[in-house]
Amino acid sequence: MNEMFLLKMGEIVLKGLNRSTFEGRLHSNLNRRLKPYGKFKIRLLQSLVYVEPEEEDCDMDGAWEACGRVFGVAAMSRSRSCDKDMDAILRACKEYLGDGIAGAKSFKVESKRADKKFPLTSIQISQEIGGLLAEAYPETAVDVHNPDYTVYVEVREDRAYVHGPDQPGAGGLPTGVGGKTALLLSGGIDSPVAGYMMGKRGVELECIHFFSYPYTSERAKEKVLDLARLMARYCGRMTVHVVPFTKIQEAIRDNCPEEYFTLIMRRMMMRISEAMAEKLGCMSLTTGESLGQVASQTMQALMVTNAVCTLPVLRPLIGMDKEEIITVARKIGTMETSILPYEDCCTVFTPKHPKTRPSLSEIEKIEAALDVKALVSEAVEGVEPVYIRAGR
């Protein structure tokens, strides 16, 4: 049947002398993501990626779904290739797109002649193929302004390709072109969305998860790993670094005023995450914080939290409200897992009346009761890495 995929690059086409770097990363990402579905030939020419099966038993539906989650692809279409002559193009349109044309109220043909040696212009191709299809499908009207269905014909250097309307791809930039960030990953709704949004900007993720056994269960940890697996479908392979956090939370509970528990806990998390980030070659930290959403995310609280960091702290959700975040969570498939009722370390020892307008000086005085350096060092040494791979 000669079915294949045409993937259209987005922002990559705007790049200059470094465009080949972006294209090379996109090629390698596609190659890795498609391996579970069979052997595919992947070619990048101009602004298109050609994905062709090389074996009869390739899982085309699985591969199509995987391509839709690869950052760097702006639009995509399932296509059929044929010889570069009008009879072959017409035959391919009827055989491959006939059901779509017949099921529509109206249609038109749009053509693109990338091969300027082809004897007909783009307009002439559209006129001839459109006229012949109108004769073949008399129940479907021709409407060149607002058609119900569009037939696309592309005459390229090697072959001609026919396909129906494009579907949106994942967009963004290929994972790996934007460096690495350490994502503070909890079991909630926000942090997986923050990770997805950083992945969409070409950033690789190293995930840091804080685990407070026995206050949080093994099932709660598994929930976070499940979220990482869902994220990996978009963001690619990653490692979840599970940090033992019980001793630190108990030290905070025993030595600090209750209203400061959450803020001091967040500062400890940032210290540990930065230490991990430096070990892992990350250039930033990323959190799922949204301004004003909870007490620890007021402007004053964020300032106090940031004070312990030297690396940039990226907060891609900072201006989003909860409904906007939930919309993205549903889109990427993490929402149902995020709302499973398993405890999170952020809910352990939660103060009844948390401080919302802290000052840095008062926080530093309170923290003097803790052996911060020793607690951070012990936590980093006790980290358990869990490797996550993008699969089916």
Side-chain angles (χ1 to χ4, degrees):
M1 192 176 184
N2 300 326
E3 185 179 48
M4 57 173 297
F5 307 148
L6 296 179
L7 312 180
K8 296 182 180 178
M9 291 181 269
E11 291 181 61
I12 295 174
V13 301
L14 303 176
K15 302 301 176 184
L17 296 177
N18 61 347
R19 176 170 168 172
S20 61
T21 300
F22 289 78
E23 291 179 338
R25 180 65 72 165
L26 177 60
H27 185 282
S28 63
N29 290 348
L30 282 166
N31 187 59
R32 185 166 55 248
R33 300 286 188 87
L34 292 177
K35 276 185 178 179
Y37 306 100
K39 188 176 181 182
F40 290 85
K41 180 180 180 181
I42 301 170
R43 296 179 295 139
L44 281 72
L45 296 173
Q46 297 177 323
S47 61
L48 274 182
V49 183
Y50 299 78
V51 179
E52 302 174 78
E54 295 190 297
E55 299 170 335
E56 289 293 328
D57 61 348
C58 286
D59 179 358
M60 296 297 285
D61 290 336
W64 173 253
E65 188 175 348
C67 286
R69 295 184 179 128
V70 176
F71 292 129
V73 176
M76 48 197 286
S77 58
R78 297 180 84 136
S79 175
R80 181 169 179 179
S81 65
C82 62
D83 292 333
K84 292 193 296 182
D85 70 69
M86 297 302 285
D87 288 339
I89 291 170
L90 176 62
R91 187 165 55 252
C93 288
K94 288 180 178 180
E95 293 176 357
Y96 191 63
L97 303 176
D99 290 344
I101 299 170
K105 295 179 180 179
S106 60
F107 83 98
K108 75 170 182 176
V109 177
E110 283 194 10
S111 302
K112 181 176 182 179
R113 185 189 64 156
D115 179 6
K116 301 307 178 186
K117 294 179 182 179
F118 193 75
L120 301 181
T121 65
S122 297
I123 293 175
Q124 290 171 331
I125 295 169
S126 295
Q127 290 173 336
E128 184 167 339
I129 296 296
L132 293 169
L133 289 176
E135 293 177 5
Y137 301 93
E139 300 299 319
T140 306
V142 175
D143 184 346
V144 298
H145 299 294
N146 188 30
D148 192 33
Y149 187 86
T150 301
V151 173
Y152 293 91
V153 177
E154 302 191 27
V155 180
R156 298 274 170 176
E157 296 295 333
D158 54 346
R159 305 272 286 168
Y161 302 87
V162 301
H163 61 87
D166 289 340
Q167 293 187 21
L173 296 172
T175 302
V177 299
K180 286 202 296 184
T181 191
L183 170 69
L184 280 70
L185 180 63
S186 72
I189 297 170
D190 301 340
S191 57
V193 173
Y196 163 82
M197 293 181 70
M198 293 307 300
K200 192 172 182 178
R201 301 314 304 157
V203 178
E204 289 185 67
L205 304 180
E206 295 279 356
C207 300
I208 314 293
H209 175 63
F210 296 89
F211 182 52
S212 295
Y213 184 82
Y215 302 105
T216 54
S217 66
E218 286 291 334
R219 187 63 191 88
K221 180 171 75 173
E222 189 58 37
K223 170 187 170 180
V224 172
L225 298 180
D226 288 342
L227 286 171
R229 294 181 187 105
L230 292 170
M231 292 165 58
R233 297 181 303 167
Y234 289 92
C235 302
R237 55 192 177 184
M238 62 183 72
T239 303
V240 179
H241 304 272
V242 181
V243 179
F245 204 54
T246 307
K247 185 174 181 178
I248 291 175
Q249 288 195 286
E250 290 177 338
I252 294 170
R253 177 199 62 191
D254 296 341
N255 294 281
C256 303
E258 181 185 354
E259 64 268 30
Y260 292 94
F261 282 179
T262 302
L263 284 168
I264 295 174
M265 178 190 72
R266 293 293 296 174
R267 281 165 60 89
M268 295 297 285
M269 286 180 171
M270 301 300 271
R271 290 183 175 102
I272 294 166
S273 297
E274 183 161 278
M276 290 297 301
E278 291 172 351
K279 289 178 62 174
L280 297 167
C282 298
M283 293 181 281
S284 66
L285 307 181
T286 295
T287 76
E289 292 162 313
S290 171
L291 187 62
Q293 186 177 146
V294 294
S296 63
Q297 295 174 20
T298 64
M299 190 73 79
Q300 294 90 337
L302 293 177
M303 181 273 293
V304 165
T305 302
N306 269 30
V308 300
C309 300
T310 56
L311 290 177
V313 181
L314 307 179
R315 296 181 171 94
L317 313 186
I318 196 69
M320 297 174 69
D321 64 33
K322 199 65 177 185
E323 285 304 314
E324 292 172 318
I325 297 168
I326 287 173
T327 297
V328 180
R330 293 192 190 283
K331 171 187 171 183
I332 65 176
T334 57
M335 183 65 186
E336 293 305 313
T337 301
S338 290
I339 61 177
L340 291 174
Y342 299 107
E343 58 281 285
D344 187 279
C345 80
C346 293
T347 63
V348 176
F349 309 132
T350 302
K352 293 180 180 179
H353 304 289
K355 194 78 170 178
T356 59
R357 297 178 180 274
S359 72
L360 181 58
S361 59
E362 64 184 341
I363 288 284
E364 289 175 339
K365 288 178 182 178
I366 293 167
E367 279 185 343
L370 303 173
D371 189 345
V372 170
K373 186 174 181 180
L375 288 169
V376 169
S377 178
E378 185 177 348
V380 171
E381 289 175 4
V383 166
E384 170 201 359
V386 180
Y387 303 102
I388 305 293
R389 295 294 177 260
R392 285 178 178 262

